[in-house]
Amino acid sequence: MSDEARMKLALDLDEKGWGQVAPNPMVGAVVFNGDEKVGEGFHQRFGESHAESIALRQAGERAKGGTLYVTLEPCSHQGRNPPCTDAIVASGIKRVVAAVRDPNPIAAGGAERLRAAGVEVEFGVLEREASELNAVFLNRVTSSRPWVTLKLALSIDGAIASRKRTRGWLTNEQSREIVQRMRANSDAVAVGVETAIADDPELTARTDPPPRVQPLRVIFDRNARLPAAHSLARTARATPTLIVTSNTTTLPDELTEAGVESMQADDLGDALTKLGERGIASILVEGGAGLAASFLAGDFVDRLVIFRAPLVLGGGALGAFSGIASLDIEQAPRFALLDVRRIGDDVMTVYATRKG
């Protein structure tokens, strides 16, 4: 097997920590001795053993002289767990292949520590794929605002709702399950107040297993129009719910008494900065059209995920991008296509913005 094929095994393990390890990164590791895989592991839950340690324990004496493939540079600091570099050196591993360097100054330096102990270290194998899986973690170290994913469910003709604005699913059940999984790996799920009132969403991650922590529900509601009788308000004590208002708006007493939190902000950029200061590292924005337009116009979107359903809603339907100012072709931003996937009869596409 090539280094790429072996790292792909580590990446498959990496993803098993989805929704369970934040704010830590997801990490997968495999140990090979010659052509034989002798150990594997992944970071299963925040605070528990790291992937490298699990893989090395499984390998035991067979790790000696072998190669460790890991999706992120092994840590060299003492946190909730001892440094992975110590376990690697003690195991007799001869070579470490890591997909991505750790940008966290607290945990970085593992490669240098291993090289000083005589272990060969290489980087860059499937780096793009590994970086994409841990984009939120990597962004947290370099940015003051959360990583933003904008999710839209559209008809073939680009609409998110019919002319009558009636409630109903555009996409199929499989697509909706993927959205639940996206929620499970997000610190917050956000909607505009119009969508909250019209659709009455739960905005929780209903996955098996459930996420370690349910995402914070964020409603962008400048004038605090969300009714106290709304289900998002009534369930605020069970699932934390935050309303983002203008700097001149005070949350009504009945919402505060229901357990709804409030955060005043000058604008969307200010709101994202304050959410980042609160510890929110990732936000899944689920609509509606006005909020989507604001995020795109402000250049705040890192990933755009579109689920396109096989139906046409026709004249008068609400266009997903109708709130964005008209641009000439030369001025319009072009996104980079990262992934296209068929989900039953739906099609899922993932785009990166030019900066992301």
Side-chain angles (χ1 to χ4, degrees):
M1 294 177 70
S2 65
D3 282 348
E4 288 77 10
R6 294 177 179 185
M7 186 63 77
K8 179 61 169 58
L9 296 177
L11 283 171
D12 290 342
L13 289 166
D14 175 312
E15 200 167 359
K16 290 186 176 183
W18 190 276
Q20 306 299 323
V21 302
N24 286 354
M26 296 181 290
V27 181
V30 293
V31 179
F32 274 82
N33 196 318
D35 294 331
E36 182 184 4
K37 184 179 73 172
V38 294
E40 64 179 31
F42 67 96
H43 187 29
Q44 298 177 15
R45 195 169 177 85
F46 177 73
E48 296 183 2
S49 296
H50 290 181
E52 300 96 315
S53 297
I54 296 171
L56 290 170
R57 282 201 300 268
Q58 189 179 108
E61 290 297 321
R62 295 175 296 173
K64 189 173 183 179
T67 299
L68 170 70
Y69 295 84
V70 61
T71 55
L72 183 70
E73 179 182 7
C75 66
S76 61
H77 79 297
Q78 176 70 52
R80 289 175 178 264
N81 288 279
C84 291
T85 50
D86 289 358
I88 294 168
V89 172
S91 73
I93 282 285
K94 180 180 179 181
R95 176 174 175 245
V96 171
V97 180
V100 182
R101 282 190 177 273
D102 191 338
N104 186 343
I106 297 175
E112 287 70 25
R113 191 164 175 177
L114 290 170
R115 286 169 178 153
V119 179
E120 180 184 351
V121 181
E122 299 173 25
F123 285 101
V125 176
L126 298 188
E127 180 177 11
R128 185 186 70 81
E129 294 84 348
S131 297
E132 189 67 20
L133 275 174
N134 272 316
V136 172
F137 170 77
L138 298 173
N139 180 74
R140 183 191 293 118
V141 181
T142 59
S143 176
S144 61
R145 70 159 179 83
W147 179 267
V148 174
T149 299
L150 172 60
K151 184 276 298 182
L152 295 170
L154 312 180
S155 62
I156 291 175
D157 53 339
I160 61 173
S162 68
R163 178 177 60 83
K164 295 181 179 180
R165 308 298 192 261
T166 51
R167 293 176 60 185
W169 297 110
L170 289 178
T171 54
N172 61 34
E173 185 176 353
Q174 300 101 298
S175 292
R176 298 197 296 275
E177 288 175 354
I178 292 174
V179 174
Q180 293 295 327
R181 192 166 182 272
M182 292 170 67
R183 289 180 181 180
N185 207 44
S186 301
D187 289 341
V189 178
V191 296
V193 65
E194 298 289 350
T195 298
I197 293 173
D199 294 350
D200 193 25
E202 293 182 44
L203 300 184
T204 56
R206 300 179 291 280
T207 55
D208 184 17
R212 186 177 69 88
V213 179
Q214 281 288 342
L216 174 71
R217 303 186 298 193
V218 178
I219 302 101
F220 285 88
D221 183 6
R222 290 187 58 80
N223 299 310
R225 294 191 294 115
L226 187 77
H230 193 284
S231 62
L232 288 174
R234 289 187 287 102
T235 58
R237 295 201 183 277
T239 305
T241 304
L242 175 74
I243 291 181
V244 179
T245 69
S246 72
N247 270 330
T248 58
T249 300
T250 302
L251 211 62
D253 290 343
E254 54 267 31
L255 286 175
T256 302
E257 291 167 1
V260 177
E261 299 178 69
S262 66
M263 185 179 76
Q264 294 180 328
D266 294 329
D267 51 30
L268 187 53
D270 184 40
L272 289 173
T273 297
K274 288 179 176 176
L275 285 167
E277 291 170 351
R278 180 189 170 110
I280 300 299
S282 58
I283 299 178
L284 176 63
V285 180
E286 296 202 29
L291 188 63
S294 296
F295 269 89
L296 287 167
D299 200 22
F300 296 126
V301 176
D302 297 293
R303 293 293 181 268
L304 173 61
V305 181
I306 293 177
F307 293 87
R308 196 173 294 273
L311 73 167
V312 174
L313 294 179
L318 178 59
F321 306 105
S322 58
I324 299 176
S326 178
L327 295 169
D328 291 334
I329 293 175
E330 294 77 12
Q331 299 171 324
R334 290 185 180 272
F335 300 149
L337 179 63
L338 296 182
D339 191 18
V340 180
R341 208 179 309 171
R342 180 171 177 173
I343 314 295
D345 288 336
D346 295 345
V347 176
M348 172 186 171
T349 50
V350 180
Y351 297 92
T353 60
R354 288 177 297 176
K355 67 180 187 323

